[in-house]
C-alpha cells in the first residue's frame, strides 16, 4: 500500500535523476528545485520516510507557480489519509476538488516498503520495493546515486528512481502560512505483486506516462486516472525489522538483510580474537620461561 518510502539523496541529485526532454528540446533539462515556505517544513534525507514527513515532489511548474517547466518542491506527505484509493479518487470530497483543479503530482523516491504477512497473523516481514536497475547497480548504495553522471546530451546515467502518481493540495497552517501536502494513489495489486500486498501504488513507468500525468491542460482528470495500471515492473528484497519503527533513520533501513553487518556479532568476534591473541602471547611467554630454565 506504500506507507513508508526511502528518500535519502541530495536535492540536486533528485533534479538530475528526474531530468527530461521537452517536446521542443533536443537536450535534456533538469527540473528546478523550489523551496516553498511550507510553514518551515523542510525536506530531510532519510531511508525511512513516513506520513507527515516532507519529501521531494515533481509538479508542472506552469500549474504550480507559473513557471514554464517542471519543478521539484518539498511537500508534506499526507492529505489524511496519506494514500488514495483509485476507486474513490473522483468521488471523494477530499480528493475530487484538487484533482479537478489539476493538482496532480509525482512522488519521487528510491523505493518503498511493504510488509508481508508470514507464518500466520501478527508476523510480518518488511521488504524494500524499487524499479529494476542496470546490472551491478545497488539501489541502497548512496554513492552510486551521488557519483552518477549527468549531461544535457545524455541526461541521467545513474540508478532509476521510482515515480508514483499522486495528488497535492494547499491548506493554511495555524500560523496562517500556506502548506502543501500530497497523497499517493493506490490500486489493486498486479498478480505478481499480490504475493506481498493486495494494494500497490500507481507507478509511472515511463516518460510518456510522466508527461501525461503532469500535463493537466492537455490530459483531463478522467483520462489521467484511466491510464493508471498496476505494474509488474518492480523488484524487491527483504530488509531488517529496523524499518518497522519510523523513528529509526538508519542508513541500513533499505539494505538487504544479507548486507547488514551485525554489530553485536562483530564486537564478539573482535573480542574473542583479542582474547585468543592475548592467550597465545601468554603461552609464548610461558614457553620462553621454560626454555630459560
Amino acid at each position: 500500500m506504500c506507507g513508508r518510502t526511502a528518500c535519502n539523496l541530495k536535492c540536486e541529485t533528485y533534479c538530475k535523476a528526474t531530468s527530461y526532454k521537452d517536446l521542443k528540446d533536443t537536450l535534456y533539462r533538469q527540473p528546478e528545485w523550489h523551496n516553498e515556505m511550507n510553514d518551515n517544513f523542510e525536506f530531510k534525507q532519510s531511508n525511512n520516510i513516513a506520513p507527515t514527513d516532507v519529501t521531494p515532489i515533481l509538479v508542472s511548474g506552469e500549474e504550480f507557480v507559473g513557471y514554464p517547466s517542471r519543478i521539484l518542491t518539498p511537500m508534506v506527505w499526507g492529505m489524511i489519509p496519506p494514500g488514495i484509493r483509485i476507486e474513490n479518487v473522483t468521488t471523494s470530497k477530499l480528493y475530487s476538488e484538487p484533482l479537478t483543479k489539476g493538482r496532480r503530482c509525482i512522488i519521487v523516491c528510491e523505493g518503498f516498503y511493504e510488509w508481508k504477512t508470514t507464518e500466520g497473523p501478527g508476523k510480518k516481514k518488511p521488504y524494500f520495493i524499487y524499479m529494476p536497475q542496470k546490472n551491478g547497480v545497488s539501489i541502497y548504495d548512496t554513492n552510486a546515486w551521488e557519483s552518477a553522471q549527468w549531461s544535457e546530451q545524455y541526461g541521467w546515467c545513474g540508478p532509476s528512481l521510482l515515480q508514483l502518481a499522486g495528488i497535492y493540495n494547499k491548506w493554511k497552517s495555524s500560523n496562517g502560512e500556506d502548506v502543501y501536502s500530497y497523497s499517493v494513489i493506490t490500486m489493486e495489486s498486479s498478480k505478481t505483486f499480490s504475493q506481498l500486498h493486495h494494494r500497490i501504488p500507481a507507478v509511472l513507468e515511463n516518460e510518456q506516462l510522466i508527461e501525461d500525468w503532469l500535463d493537466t491542460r492537455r490530459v483531463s482528470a478522467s483520462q489521467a486516472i484511466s491510464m493508471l495500471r498496476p505494474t509488474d515492473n518492480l523488484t524487491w528484497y527483504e530488509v531488517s525489522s529496523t524499518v518497522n519503527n519510523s523513528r529509526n533513520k538508519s542508513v541500513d533501513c533499505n539494505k538487504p538483510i544479507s548486507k547488514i553487518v551485525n554489530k553485536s556479532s562483530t564486537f564478539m568476534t573482535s573480542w574473542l580474537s583479542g582474547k585468543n591473541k592475548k592467550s597465545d602471547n601468554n603461552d609464548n611467554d610461558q614457553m620462553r620461561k621454560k626454555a630459560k630454565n
Side-chain angles (χ1 to χ4, degrees):
M1 185 175 178
C2 188
R4 213 74 65 76
T5 64
C7 294
N8 199 33
L9 307 177
K10 296 176 182 178
C11 300
E12 53 265 33
T13 304
Y14 285 114
C15 290
K16 292 177 183 177
T18 53
S19 60
Y20 65 102
K21 278 185 179 180
D22 190 273
L23 295 176
K24 301 176 182 178
D25 291 339
T26 57
L27 299 176
Y28 284 90
R29 64 165 70 179
Q30 298 177 27
E32 288 193 11
W33 183 272
H34 278 239
N35 270 316
E36 298 304 312
M37 292 300 292
N38 259 357
D39 198 25
N40 295 320
F41 287 106
E42 294 181 355
F43 166 56
K44 295 180 181 179
Q45 297 172 227
S46 173
N47 276 330
N48 196 0
I49 296 287
T52 71
D53 286 338
V54 179
T55 74
I57 299 298
L58 185 65
V59 295
S60 166
E62 191 172 20
E63 296 296 334
F64 190 72
V65 289
Y67 186 79
S69 181
R70 298 178 191 177
I71 65 171
L72 277 167
T73 187
M75 291 190 190
V76 180
W77 183 2
M79 286 168 59
I80 311 174
I84 317 167
R85 287 177 172 265
I86 195 171
E87 298 88 344
N88 305 326
V89 69
T90 58
T91 57
S92 165
K93 292 182 179 179
L94 180 62
Y95 300 118
S96 60
E97 182 179 351
L99 179 65
T100 55
K101 287 184 176 180
R103 292 177 176 172
R104 304 200 296 257
C105 66
I106 296 176
I107 297 89
V108 297
C109 57
E110 291 89 276
F112 69 96
Y113 299 93
E114 198 54 79
W115 282 258
K116 180 182 180 182
T117 301
T118 58
E119 302 173 2
K123 296 183 179 180
K124 296 183 177 182
K125 290 183 178 180
Y127 288 80
F128 186 66
I129 300 100
Y130 57 100
M131 292 296 289
Q133 304 294 320
K134 299 175 183 177
N135 290 337
V137 174
S138 297
I139 190 74
Y140 56 85
D141 182 6
T142 304
N143 186 59
W145 294 88
E146 304 297 0
S147 63
Q149 299 297 309
W150 182 89
S151 68
E152 290 185 333
Q153 184 176 3
Y154 299 108
W156 174 247
C157 298
S160 299
L161 285 172
L162 192 61
Q163 303 196 49
L164 312 175
I167 294 174
Y168 73 90
N169 209 350
K170 181 172 70 173
W171 47 280
K172 292 286 186 181
S173 70
S174 58
N175 299 325
E177 298 285 347
D178 288 338
V179 177
Y180 291 90
S181 61
Y182 70 88
S183 288
V184 182
I185 295 177
T186 68
M187 59 185 65
E188 288 289 332
S189 290
S190 61
K191 184 176 181 180
T192 301
F193 192 76
S194 61
Q195 60 183 289
L196 279 186
H197 200 278
H198 67 284
R199 303 290 297 183
I200 189 173
V203 179
L204 301 171
E205 301 180 58
N206 55 58
E207 178 56 33
Q208 187 59 60
L209 285 173
I210 292 170
E211 173 65 29
D212 290 346
W213 185 254
L214 292 179
D215 193 344
T216 59
R217 299 191 178 189
R218 179 176 57 86
V219 181
S220 68
S222 59
Q223 289 175 321
I225 293 297
S226 66
M227 74 183 187
L228 301 179
R229 296 284 188 275
T231 182
D232 281 319
N233 190 33
L234 292 173
T235 187
W236 56 83
Y237 52 75
E238 186 180 349
V239 295
S240 165
S241 58
T242 299
V243 75
N244 290 358
N245 189 332
S246 62
R247 288 175 293 184
N248 290 333
K249 303 299 184 182
S250 168
V251 293
D252 289 342
C253 283
N254 70 338
K255 287 184 180 178
I257 285 183
S258 60
K259 299 295 183 180
I260 298 177
V261 177
N262 188 318
K263 294 182 180 179
S264 60
S265 296
T266 302
F267 172 79
M268 182 61 70
T269 301
S270 177
W271 180 78
L272 289 173
S273 176
K275 186 176 181 181
N276 290 337
K277 185 176 181 180
K278 185 176 181 180
S279 177
D280 290 342
N281 290 336
N282 289 337
D283 290 342
N284 291 335
D285 289 342
Q286 292 295 329
M287 290 176 67
R288 282 193 292 269
K289 288 179 180 180
K290 288 181 180 179
K292 290 179 179 180
N293 295 332

